[in-house]
Amino acid sequence: MDLKKLNDDDKMDLCRKYYIGGFYLLPFLWLVNCIWFFREAFLRPQFTHQAIMKTYVIRSTIGVLVWFIILTTWVTIYQKYRVNWGATADYMSFIIPQGVP
């Protein structure tokens, strides 16, 4: 999508939709929101909805960072303690490693 072809109201609407979409367990939308709308929110000269767009971009960035921290923490804990958890960890796995741990 080319943001240059959209007017300011459409950009604001799209930014809001991506922000709200991130709450439906789609943090990738927050990442896209941060990347696509950073210039519009922070580097472009003042326009009508810029303050609201800045809020959406900042909150999207915070959301992406929180999701990244949670996911990284979970992966680290799982990798470290998978063997100790026994069958419970195997039920959580899609691919069960073969062999002696």
Side-chain angles (χ1 to χ4, degrees):
M1 175 180 284
D2 189 7
L3 291 178
K4 295 174 187 173
K5 295 180 181 179
L6 296 176
N7 63 28
D8 291 339
D9 292 332
D10 291 339
K11 288 178 188 177
M12 179 61 207
D13 187 49
L14 187 61
C15 183
R16 183 180 61 80
K17 286 179 183 176
Y18 278 24
Y19 172 69
I20 292 171
F23 286 106
Y24 292 101
L25 300 178
L26 299 169
F28 182 72
L29 290 179
W30 282 335
L31 180 63
V32 170
N33 205 19
C34 298
I35 294 169
W36 276 9
F37 292 104
F38 181 81
R39 284 191 194 122
E40 297 293 325
F42 294 102
L43 302 178
R44 197 177 137 196
Q46 273 308 95
F47 62 95
T48 309
H49 302 296
Q50 191 171 24
I52 300 169
M53 190 179 285
K54 280 183 185 179
T55 303
Y56 288 148
V57 171
I58 290 170
R59 289 180 183 175
S60 295
T61 304
I62 292 169
V64 165
L65 291 175
V66 168
W67 265 94
F68 179 76
I69 290 168
I70 290 170
L71 186 64
T72 304
T73 302
W74 166 247
V75 168
T76 303
I77 290 170
Y78 184 78
Q79 293 291 326
K80 187 171 182 180
Y81 297 109
R82 186 194 64 78
V83 175
N84 298 339
W85 292 345
T88 305
D90 289 342
Y91 291 130
M92 287 188 254
S93 296
F94 290 110
I95 300 172
I96 299 173
Q98 301 294 320
V100 179

